[in-house]
Amino acid sequence: MASTSVTAPSLPTRPERMGRLPYTRAHTRVLLGSGTGWALDAMDVGLISFVGLAIATQWDLTRTEQSWLLSIGFVGMALGATFGGMLADRYGRRTVFALTLLVYGLATGASALVSGLAALLVLRFLVGIGLGAELPVASTLVSELSPTRIRGRMVVILESFWAVGWLLAALIGYFVVPISDNGWRWAFAVGLVPAVYAVVIRWGMPESPLFLERRGRVAEAEEVVRAFEDSAGLPHEESRPLPEAPPRTPGTLWSAAYRVRTLGIWLVWFCVNFSYYGAFIWLPSLLYAQGFDLVRSFGYTLVITLAQLPGYAVAAVLVEVWGRRVTLASFLLGSAVSAVTFGMAGEVWQIIAAGCAMSFFNLGAWGALYAVTPEIYPTSVRASGAGAAAGFGRIASIAAPLLVPVVLGAWGNAVLFAIFGGAFVIGAAAAYLLLPEHAGDALETS
């Protein structure tokens, strides 16, 4: 009888072993661990929209000073996203994730103690650095640890924790901020929670086996894969090594192989950041300016925020059914229509209905965007590519809150939200540059 042997090419790679696993408790732990950090991020970003209004009222800030208070964090986020991705490709996803939680948690807690605008602006800048670095790193980590058939859905579920965090911010804004002159300080003090959680993240989360193997830490990569196979109750397999990665250069993202997708993802990130943060960071203040008192403004914002959750849920299904690009473009077009409608709304029910629709479509678009971003690049530049796109997008999140009072003063609400709607349309068109479609396909491992 002739003997048979398994040849190296017929063996799976470690990423292939990870990709074909069923969903297990180990994946739930990854989602909960990353998602809690994500929710704490969102809570911090959301808090400034509520706290900023309270501080502006208490300190008698001008519209320009209030704009800088709302925008300075995004300056830090632009730097954090760009350099955080680079650090994650060099030192690991989990390590950078924990470090960013520590930075922004401590800076947010310290914000509760400030007595002047200058000190608060410095601390908000540091908060932004931590926030900006964490988001693309977390999505990259989850993407690389997910089963292939539901990878997009898992990243959208991760992004849905943003709605949980923003909802927490709205609840704190509604129940804590208005109770006293120091209510905003207590809101900031809650931000110390991420600093404690950073310790849990560092020791409880697995590192990406793709990253580990690419860094030559093969035994550690095998240990992570085996832990997930144990969780699924499956036997361990032998693996063939990953193919050698092409050399990485500073211009890799703009090389012939990636320049179209890089242009597309940068445009989408810019447009989504511009409209989302221009609208939602200013939302309580815009409602307050329309004649609603502080508590009612926060209450309406809380209701509008609740619509984010079903938006994520629908996007989580559609990214695997329609694909990433079609889902992203569809939700961006829905965001455009909702934004224009919100700008023209006059009655309370119209404001709430249009605001809920804007929340639903915009946050569903965010979910699809985070699903597609890590997939369009290979492992060696995945976190760097995601971070660079997020960093470029943060330029828009800096500019938009600064432009809001200028446009409002010159042309009013309708024109402001028509501009936001136009940006959403441009983003929808740019989504079709994100080729190839990776729904159901393994990640590039080179």
Side-chain angles (χ1 to χ4, degrees), residues 82-94:
T82 302
F83 293 105
M86 294 179 183
L87 291 172
D89 279 335
R90 183 173 181 85
Y91 298 108
R93 286 59 161 133
R94 181 183 65 173

Side-chain angles (χ1 to χ4, degrees), residues 250-270:
T252 296
L253 299 181
W254 290 98
S255 64
Y258 302 114
R259 66 169 62 108
V260 172
R261 65 186 79 173
T262 296
L263 173 63
I265 202 69
W266 282 32
L267 278 173
V268 177
W269 271 90
F270 188 91

Side-chain angles (χ1 to χ4, degrees), residues 53 63 66 279 282-294 296-298 300-301 304 339-355 358 404 408 411-417 420:
L53 177 56
R63 271 289 177 89
Q66 188 181 2
W282 272 97
L283 189 57
S285 297
L286 292 174
L287 294 173
Y288 185 74
Q290 289 184 353
F292 303 110
D293 61 32
L294 196 69
R296 289 176 70 195
S297 298
F298 288 176
Y300 294 156
T301 304
I304 290 170
V340 173
T341 304
F342 185 87
M344 297 187 296
E347 301 294 328
V348 171
W349 71 268
Q350 294 172 336
I351 292 171
I352 293 176
M358 192 165 58
V404 165
L408 275 177
W411 298 290
N413 244 27
V415 172
L416 175 66
F417 280 87
F420 293 152

